Amino acid sequence: MDPPFLEKYKSLFNDYTTVSKDKDDSLMNASDECELPLIDLQRLTLEHSEREQCVKEIKQAASEWGFLQVVNHGIPQEMLKSLQYEQRKAFQHPFREKAEDNILNLSANSYRWGNPRATCLRQLAWSEAFHVPLTDISRIGDAYKSLSASIEAFTTTANALAKGVAEILAENLGVSSTFFEENCPEETSYLRMNRYPPCPFSSEVFGLMPHTDSSFLTVINQDQIGGLQLLKNGRWINVKPNPEALVINIGDLFQALSNDVYKSIKHRVLAPQQVERFSLAFFYCPTYETVIESSIKPSKYKEFTFREFMMQIQSDLKATGDKVGVSRFLL
């Protein structure tokens, strides 16, 4: 069922010695492990002083880390376990069926693996994924009704969670109180189901390359294998998995909207050496026509639409194999 990484990228592995000499060995190492700021969202329902303290901690984590963990987030563990089970079943199909037969009946190119634009091992992603626009849920075939139902249940609650956190973060930024309600209908977001197969070259290739997210917020549910790392103060730090928590991180759009009050932090996933790893990522995104403009003046970024942002990303990927991101729109 694993993608044919070694066959597809044979030339990159043949150049292994040369690439290794050019590679910054420290790039694959992270000496520190951290527990992200942990926020109990139930405190938002308590008396005013407790709620305000919780809001303060959310904003502080988003500002200082760009990442936070949340518990009592409104998504039942049973719902998460159900989707994890269905996710594993979907990936267990033979590679050819996933790649050529579109077994889930999703939009074109929804099944993704590796990196077709990779020019060196460092640009290779040792992973596979189903990229599911929420408009595609209804297209999933009858043979996968339980998967479709699990995805719909999760994304509905994840959307509500992301919207609530986004509205808290937008307080005092001059953003309209109805901005996310008007510009982020549920169908414009998407879910990515990831699988990271065991990798015999785990010290040389990434499970997922260093990147930032092209969203307002991303909600992540990961298993307990570990491998997620974030870049903080110039150092890669291992994120310790918490079985009770979801991870939320700031995306590029919120960095521009907040005029750098909140930062979209570069992160990556290491390829597991001996065991497979699974994760789910819900990307909270606006319509393509939504204008991203900070109300904080002077603004560091020129205004742009989400469509312009995504077109720039595709242009950069085609030209260099890497995403540049929100810095493309700096004034």
Side-chain angles (χ1 to χ4, degrees):
M1 67 179 179
D2 291 348
F5 295 104
L6 296 178
E7 178 182 341
K8 173 71 173 181
Y9 300 102
K10 183 178 180 180
S11 61
L12 300 186
F13 287 100
N14 286 342
D15 293 339
Y16 168 79
T17 303
T18 302
V19 173
S20 293
K21 288 179 180 178
D22 293 340
K23 184 174 72 68
D24 177 6
D25 289 333
S26 65
L27 199 67
M28 301 300 286
N29 298 323
S31 58
D32 298 330
E33 183 174 63
C34 73
E35 290 193 23
L36 297 174
L38 183 63
I39 313 293
D40 183 351
L41 295 185
Q42 189 174 16
R43 295 162 59 202
L44 294 173
T45 66
L46 302 180
E47 61 182 26
H48 178 75
S49 60
E50 189 68 27
R51 184 188 189 281
E52 289 304 301
Q53 181 60 31
C54 183
V55 166
K56 180 181 177 181
E57 291 174 12
I58 292 172
K59 293 179 178 180
Q60 184 175 357
S63 176
E64 296 180 2
W65 286 83
F67 275 75
L68 61 148
Q69 295 180 108
V70 293
V71 293
N72 290 319
H73 40 65
I75 304 179
Q77 285 293 322
E78 294 76 14
M79 184 184 294
L80 294 171
K81 290 178 180 177
S82 174
L83 181 51
Q84 289 165 356
Y85 174 75
E86 297 299 334
Q87 174 186 7
R88 286 175 178 267
K89 284 171 55 179
F91 280 116
Q92 284 173 355
H93 286 273
F95 168 73
R96 186 177 298 275
E97 292 182 11
K98 291 181 287 190
E100 299 178 7
D101 297 343
N102 192 10
I103 56 173
L104 300 185
N105 195 37
L106 300 172
S107 299
N109 302 315
S110 289
Y111 174 74
R112 304 172 183 184
W113 66 282
N115 177 8
R117 300 186 178 95
T119 59
C120 63
L121 286 185
R122 245 172 39 191
Q123 291 182 339
L124 174 59
W126 195 279
S127 58
E128 58 178 334
F130 287 108
H131 177 96
V132 187
L134 299 200
T135 51
D136 274 11
I137 297 176
S138 61
R139 297 179 44 157
I140 297 176
D142 289 344
Y144 300 93
K145 281 185 177 179
S146 53
L147 172 64
S148 175
S150 294
I151 290 176
E152 186 166 15
F154 171 73
T155 54
T156 297
T157 50
N159 187 78
L161 170 62
K163 178 174 177 289
V165 173
E167 290 175 344
I168 287 172
L169 292 174
E171 293 175 1
N172 304 321
L173 294 181
V175 177
S176 167
S177 61
T178 59
F179 177 84
F180 294 104
E181 181 73 34
E182 295 170 353
N183 293 292
C184 299
E186 187 172 333
E187 62 269 17
T188 60
S189 297
Y190 63 93
L191 177 72
R192 185 180 174 102
M193 300 188 294
N194 299 303
R195 175 179 177 260
Y196 303 88
C199 176
F201 298 93
S202 59
S203 63
E204 301 298 330
V205 300
F206 294 114
L208 205 58
M209 291 166 49
H211 66 285
T212 57
D213 290 347
S214 306
S215 58
F216 278 118
L217 295 173
T218 305
V219 180
I220 303 168
N221 175 239
Q222 58 175 334
D223 62 21
Q224 299 306 298
I225 300 302
L228 176 63
Q229 296 182 335
L230 60 87
L231 189 64
K232 183 172 175 59
N233 299 326
R235 299 178 64 185
W236 288 103
I237 300 175
N238 292 303
V239 176
K240 184 178 180 180
N242 182 332
E244 303 299 323
L246 295 175
V247 173
I248 298 179
N249 64 277
I250 301 296
D252 297 338
L253 302 184
F254 228 128
Q255 176 167 328
L257 186 71
S258 71
N259 212 33
D260 285 357
V261 171
Y262 308 123
K263 296 291 181 67
S264 181
I265 300 297
K266 188 168 287 190
H267 52 287
R268 66 188 187 186
V269 178
L270 300 187
Q273 185 173 7
Q274 297 179 325
V275 294
E276 61 185 354
R277 177 185 185 271
F278 292 90
S279 69
L280 299 162
F282 174 82
F283 297 89
Y284 186 59
C285 297
T287 64
Y288 281 119
E289 292 71 34
T290 298
V291 176
I292 310 299
E293 180 184 16
S294 176
S295 297
I296 300 174
K297 305 301 179 183
S299 176
K300 298 179 180 180
Y301 301 92
K302 59 184 177 182
E303 71 173 52
F304 57 88
T305 65
F306 186 45
R307 185 184 305 278
E308 291 170 333
F309 183 72
M310 295 304 292
M311 288 177 64
Q312 183 63 59
I313 288 175
Q314 292 305 312
S315 176
D316 290 335
L317 286 172
K318 185 176 181 180
T320 68
D322 286 324
K323 170 188 170 182
V324 178
V326 73
S327 62
R328 280 288 194 197
F329 296 87
L330 283 168
L331 286 170

